[in-house]
Amino acid sequence: MPLTTYWLEHAWLDTHVEPGVALTVSMSGSAAGQDGRIAAVRTGVEAPPPGAVALRGLTIPGLANAHSHAFHRALRGTVQVGSGTFWTWREVMYGVAQRLTPDSYFALTRAVYAEMALAGITSVGEFHYLHHAPGGAPYSDPNAMGEALIAAAADAGIRITLLDTAYLSSGFGAAPERHQLRFTDGTADAWAERVSALKDRDGVRVGAAIHSVRAVPADQLATVARWAQDRQAPLHVHLSEQTAENDACQAAHGMTPTQLLAEHGVLGPRTTGVHNTHMTRTDVGLIGSTSTGTCMCPTTERDLADGIGPAVALQRAGSPLSLGSDSHAVIDLLEEARAMELNERLRTRTRGHWTAAALLRAATADGHAALGWQEAGTLEQGALADFTTIALDSVRTAGPAPRLAAETAVFAASAADVRHTIVGGRHVVRDGVHASVPDAGRALADSIAALRD
Ligand SMILES: [Zn+2]
């Protein structure tokens, strides 16, 4: 079994920065595999051993982007002109969704996932609901769009949890609108039948999602939850992002979205609520007591003027936190991590709700767990060999003592400071350049321009 040694100038070992660490990685499986694991961790290694690959800077476990809609990347810039709300933004988003084919979806997503790798992201949770052709007819392979995402992740060298999303209605008791015909399988049973044809494979896990309580009728929620339960797969759901959604749920069911999900068996430790923004005290208690996760997406939540979710209270109640770049207003998990803390500072006018260590945990181990990759997100023997290196000598990061490298990375670094990304032991980003998508900027420009024309 071939072994590769990486020498880390500084390593984040969950609680502290350790100087001089040698990670031996065992590579096995197929040539294109992503299953390389950390075979040994040696500390006190002052210089790179002969033959080792030196990673200068701070190496942290790979970042998990727990909530992504890859095609929203095509909206960047466009949606910053003018005013409006989440609901007006959504109309622009639907316009792009109409133009995507399996081929253009692949090209765009490959470039977006390359951007993620360049930002230190080693796993993405793709909340995928663009299933069918415009008008709603299935492709000859009914999973052609999902397979395009899986192929894009493989090409870009990152792991994917395909959170195949049930999206059946436009509102409580309302049929899908014209733009939503691509999203719907008709019923949750038909959704389950289609998704069951998708298989886990190297670097790929298949999970489930409920788009929202707006988009899946209450009497079909349990079908999706059961599918995930049978496979022990992750289950994600957009939860209380908008107050209008809460009001409509109250009007239709006399309870909050969280209560409705609890009633239908959707909450639990494999479930993650995305946003969890407008919650009652009872909601927070339900999420926490069921160990349901919370995925915060602060750069999107602020971009869409959603509000600030009660992440502190949710975590205190028992909900593990993860982070996602969602609409990709920016793709920078370090920015998501600090934004969660800084939002809380603005709201409370006090500092220090989370340490840099706690924020990194959300961005790494807990994010991976939310995506069903419990064996990733830590630099330990036996873990998947997924890690990323942040420069400590850039204009943003130079200066602080090395023992403060985690605080520096979380509170001052950006995605532009990522020098290396390793996934399953493979060097996907080297010295700031993506190995298989060397001109990721051009790939993004070309794939987005193709959607405009
Ligand atoms: Zn979302």
Side-chain angles (χ1 to χ4, degrees):
M1 190 181 295
L3 295 174
T4 306
T5 298
Y6 289 94
W7 178 77
L8 320 182
E9 187 185 21
H10 302 282
W12 176 249
L13 299 184
D14 292 341
T15 53
H16 67 285
V17 176
E18 181 77 26
V21 172
L23 289 186
T24 307
V25 172
S26 67
M27 309 290 286
S28 59
S30 62
Q34 294 179 329
D35 55 355
R37 288 182 183 255
I38 298 173
V41 180
R42 271 190 303 139
T43 57
V45 185
E46 283 177 19
V53 179
L55 304 179
R56 296 198 181 272
L58 173 69
T59 298
I60 63 174
L63 299 167
N65 191 355
H67 190 64
S68 162
H69 307 281
F71 77 91
H72 292 189
R73 175 64 177 82
L75 303 172
R76 193 178 290 180
T78 310
V79 285
Q80 302 301 349
V81 181
S83 56
T85 65
F86 169 89
W87 306 102
T88 53
W89 169 89
R90 194 176 73 154
E91 289 307 310
V92 182
M93 183 268 283
Y94 282 169
V96 172
Q98 285 316 296
R99 289 194 284 278
L100 286 160
T101 64
D103 286 346
S104 61
Y105 203 26
F106 167 79
L108 172 62
T109 303
R110 173 178 178 269
V112 173
Y113 290 170
E115 180 182 356
M116 289 188 193
L118 287 161
I121 291 162
T122 54
S123 297
V124 63
E126 182 67 29
F127 198 105
H128 163 60
Y129 51 83
L130 203 50
H131 303 306
H132 305 298
Y139 290 104
S140 54
D141 171 2
N143 285 307
M145 294 295 265
E147 291 290 354
L149 295 167
I150 289 171
D155 246 40
I158 67 172
R159 297 180 199 286
I160 185 170
T161 297
L162 185 71
L163 298 161
D164 195 295
T165 305
Y167 194 130
L168 309 172
S169 56
S170 68
F172 299 90
E177 294 166 4
R178 182 172 58 92
H179 288 319
Q180 296 161 338
L181 293 173
R182 297 196 74 172
F183 311 162
T184 181
D185 294 296
T187 65
D189 285 325
W191 166 86
E193 191 183 333
R194 178 181 54 72
V195 180
S196 295
L198 287 163
K199 300 296 178 215
D200 286 2
R201 59 204 91 157
D202 202 9
V204 180
R205 300 249 154 106
V206 178
I210 290 164
H211 179 276
S212 56
V213 292
R214 276 181 281 129
V216 177
D219 62 358
Q220 300 189 53
L221 290 169
T223 304
V224 184
R226 209 175 309 117
W227 186 94
Q229 169 73 28
D230 288 348
R231 286 159 184 77
Q232 294 293 297
L235 171 60
H236 286 215
V237 53
H238 286 136
L239 184 50
S240 288
E241 184 176 7
Q242 296 294 320
T243 52
E245 174 179 17
N246 283 10
D247 296 344
C249 189
Q250 281 287 0
H253 297 290
M255 61 181 84
T256 66
T258 302
Q259 289 173 312
L260 187 67
L261 294 175
E263 192 132 300
H264 291 276
V266 174
L267 303 185
R270 275 179 300 92
T271 300
T272 295
V274 181
H275 303 304
N276 297 357
T277 307
H278 302 287
M279 314 290 278
T280 66
R281 205 177 292 216
T282 306
D283 292 342
V284 170
L286 280 171
I287 297 287
S289 64
T290 53
S291 304
T292 301
T294 295
C295 179
M296 300 293 287
C297 307
T299 68
T300 293
E301 288 150 6
R302 72 194 189 199
D303 185 61
L304 296 181
D306 286 348
I308 304 171
V312 171
L314 284 161
Q315 189 176 42
R316 200 171 289 149
S319 179
L321 299 178
S322 55
L323 295 162
S325 64
D326 190 1
S327 69
H328 312 313
V330 296
I331 294 177
D332 189 337
L333 261 282
L334 300 170
E335 175 63 31
E336 302 295 343
R338 67 175 159 262
M340 187 163 71
E341 162 69 17
L342 299 178
N343 278 350
E344 211 56 40
R345 291 186 190 181
L346 283 172
R347 174 160 67 180
T348 62
R349 291 183 286 159
T350 57
R351 309 176 80 233
H353 304 276
W354 289 280
T355 60
L359 294 169
L360 278 176
R361 185 182 169 91
T364 58
D366 287 351
H368 276 97
L371 297 178
W373 297 99
Q374 277 77 4
E375 66 276 56
T378 180
L379 302 180
E380 279 175 12
Q381 187 182 354
L384 287 166
D386 296 1
F387 38 92
T388 187
T389 306
I390 297 162
L392 296 176
D393 58 357
S394 79
V395 288
R396 287 167 293 277
T397 57
R403 68 183 167 79
L404 298 174
E407 286 77 9
T408 308
V410 170
F411 286 100
S414 80
D417 296 311
V418 169
R419 288 289 176 272
H420 302 279
T421 301
I422 284 90
V423 183
R426 291 193 306 152
H427 214 146
V428 174
V429 172
R430 190 188 293 264
D431 294 317
V433 178
H434 196 287
S436 57
V437 192
D439 194 346
R442 168 57 67 91
L444 283 160
D446 288 350
S447 59
I448 292 168
L451 294 173
R452 269 199 298 271
D453 295 337

